[in-house]
Amino acid sequence: MDAITLDAIEGALSRASTTARATAAALLPDPPADLPDQATGEGGLARALLDAVSRNPALLRDLTHWMAVVEAEAPREVSTVRVDHRNTVVGGDHRAGIVQAGTVGDIHWHAAPAPVPAALPVPRQLIAGPRRLAGRERDLEALDALRLGAERRDGPLVAVVNGPAGVGKTALVSYWLRGQADDFPDGQLYADLRGHAPEGPADPSEALGMFLRAFGMNSIPSGLAEAAALWRSVTAGRRLILMLDNVISAAQVRPLLPGAEQSIVAVTSRRRLTGLGLEGAVFQPLGFLDDDASAEILRQRLGAGRVAAEPAATRRVVDRCGGLALAVCVAAARMAARPGQPLAATAEALDRGAERLTVLRVGEGIAVQSALDASYRFLREDSAALYRLLGVLPFAEFTPELAAAAAGLGRTDAERRTDALAEVSLLEELGDERHRFHDLVRLHARGLAEARDPEPVRTAAVRRALEWYLATATAAEELISPSHRTLDRDYEFPPDAEPGPRFATEKAALGWLGREQRHLMTALRTAVDARWNGLAWQLADAMWPLFLRLRPYDLWVEAHRLGLDAARRDRHAQGELRMLTSGGAGLRNSGHPEEAVVWFGQALDLARLHGDRYMEAQALHGIGQSYHLAGRLDEAVGPFAEALGIREAIGYRRGAGLSRLCLGDVALSGGRPGDAVEPLRRARADLLTASDPYDAARALALLGRALGEVGETDLAERHLRKAAEEFRDRGSAHWEARSWELLGLLYQRSDRPDDARRAFERSLRLYESVGAPDADRLTERVARPGGATGTSPPESPALSSDGPPGPGAN
């Protein structure tokens, strides 16, 4: 309230009891000695109070509070009751206070006014919290910044701190508010709104009653709207702190917002509470602790010496708690209660997967389990069902499409349900429509699924999720390597489920493969463990563009070892051939050319057994590449030439172009650049005609190298720059890096050291971005860009030979 009129004060005095008028008079700087005196009657006292407020605005809040008390404590309407001849009440309302007795018959009851406090109490209700708060410095700074920003706005600062169960919201907010308390002298109040309590959330009227009583109000209006209005009147002009803990909805908060503009209302919730944005709320999500902060909590609780004595066990405990503050504190309490037991005992207990939630308990209460159970109880059944099914998947991260496939839903329905899980912080939002499980939350969801959902339901969800990855990887394969997409795929989807995204560009498809490579490998390993053999080798096959373009060598080899075993168990000859040739390329390019020759030899025997000329040429080509990589150049020429003859005979122009490309590369490696020029020119033309721009760019890069080594420097530079541009457009960082390295070598021979250094630096950055071993070589080149290199080719296996076998490559 910004102003009080004389009429308003006089009205309040007319309704006030004698005691209440005395309380008002006591607000004056020079209270009258004799209240009934005419000079200080209602008119005189009202005028004196108004004058005092005009001279000292600080009195406004006390006078406002007094008027609100008078309004609440005014006598209630008279009620009539009936009594019999023995003066026994037989009807009516007799709940309040004074009997006005006459004859037997009607008796009148009046509410007795409750005593009005002579002085205004100052509540100090903030809960105790940690004396030290590890790992939350940035969050505290963010809250401080929110408070500074609030000084330039109207109304109280409403700050919502949200996050998963057990992440430490209450500890953070209570710690921060205690540091602000001195700036808010009119009171600090706290209410636990029990958002996830078994008995249900608290009604806001309960908290209003507590707050009003904390300010000396003894009679609280029964209606929520009336009580909220009184609360705003009582708090007008004050500087207050309110902490509203464990809130479940914006509707719980709105009636509790004070009338004090210079106040803080700090809200903690597992939900996002975006509805409070209408009240100008600001939001501060709280994430998980990092490993250093978790270890610091253990040091604080157990002592630095005990933690330092077992660093490995400490790291394991920290890792298993996953940055969940509640889990770290519970683990610390468990170890503190066992001072004679090594920390390794707790670490071993936490290593036992599904038992981890049981280990993380205090006394008889399963702390982490209970917190997650409370969040789960408030889910709708459809969202709860999705939560359980997501828990059985081998992936901790999800997109709406994956969730839809796993549950057999449409995308829109899956989005709604995943949003509901994120709303209560059972899933963490990662951006770009992705969500993630915390490890302990995932264990909780899986435990519920195992208890409630039949095994066939759980298995079907996993199978659908893996088939979604197969379908999506196949869509990327069709766009990036269409000639490789020749083998069957086995997956099914419900009519209303999406089989996977369709990519608008090759770059988008390759980007998806790069982001999802970890999950694709998880899907493959899961299929192998489940003995879904066809699904397993088909996943390895569909990932071909990932291996070819991005070159994660360890995954390349692992995928094809697993895929080969699966194809053989599946008795699928074409699948086995594809695994042998594609896997042989992975072995060759990861530095195992001799083993690659064995794989390609097996493929050659299998292709000849089945009379498959196409795959016979593929195997020969792979053998030639492996010999090339092993430095056995003379042995490489024969398999390449034989493969070229077969490919020309069966009309496989793209394959012929790849064989010519490799023959040109062998000539370069043998120091015969003049012999390489014509095969590489023909390879470029063949590959462009066959709509293979990626391998055509490879031919162009090698042609640029050959021309540079025979002295056609300008043309070589143009070819190499164009090749680098084409590789960049197709997302092939490795070959783009190779093109820039070849440019650097060209500049060295042309005595252009500054250009050479820039080219090598650019090449180094690209090699480092894909983790290629070539980075070590480029580091040395950057250090001595003007060093003599003659016409020697790069000393890298990936540079000496590239181009995997199989229809999608060679």
Side-chain angles (χ1 to χ4, degrees), residues 120-164:
L120 298 174
V122 179
R124 298 282 188 266
Q125 298 180 351
L126 292 181
I127 59 175
R131 287 178 296 175
R132 291 174 290 175
L133 197 64
R136 294 302 190 191
E137 293 78 12
R138 290 185 179 178
D139 297 294
L140 292 169
E141 291 172 1
L143 290 171
D144 287 339
L146 293 178
R147 183 188 164 189
L148 288 175
E151 293 177 357
R152 298 186 295 272
R153 52 189 284 166
D154 296 330
L157 167 64
V158 181
V160 179
V161 176
N162 51 44

Side-chain angles (χ1 to χ4, degrees), residues 422-436:
E423 179 68 31
V424 296
S425 297
L426 288 172
L427 286 179
E428 179 186 2
E429 290 187 290
L430 300 177
D432 195 25
E433 296 188 313
R434 298 178 71 85
H435 294 84
R436 177 174 63 192

Side-chain angles (χ1 to χ4, degrees), residues 152 174 221 240 317 361 405 452 513 775:
R152 298 186 295 272
S174 60
L240 300 171
V317 171
R361 64 183 178 186
R452 295 193 54 180
L513 288 169

Side-chain angles (χ1 to χ4, degrees), residues 6 9 28-29 44-56 59:
L6 181 62
I9 299 173
L28 295 170
L45 180 56
R47 175 62 65 182
L49 288 167
L50 187 62
D51 291 344
V53 168
S54 66
R55 290 192 299 273
N56 182 8
L59 291 176

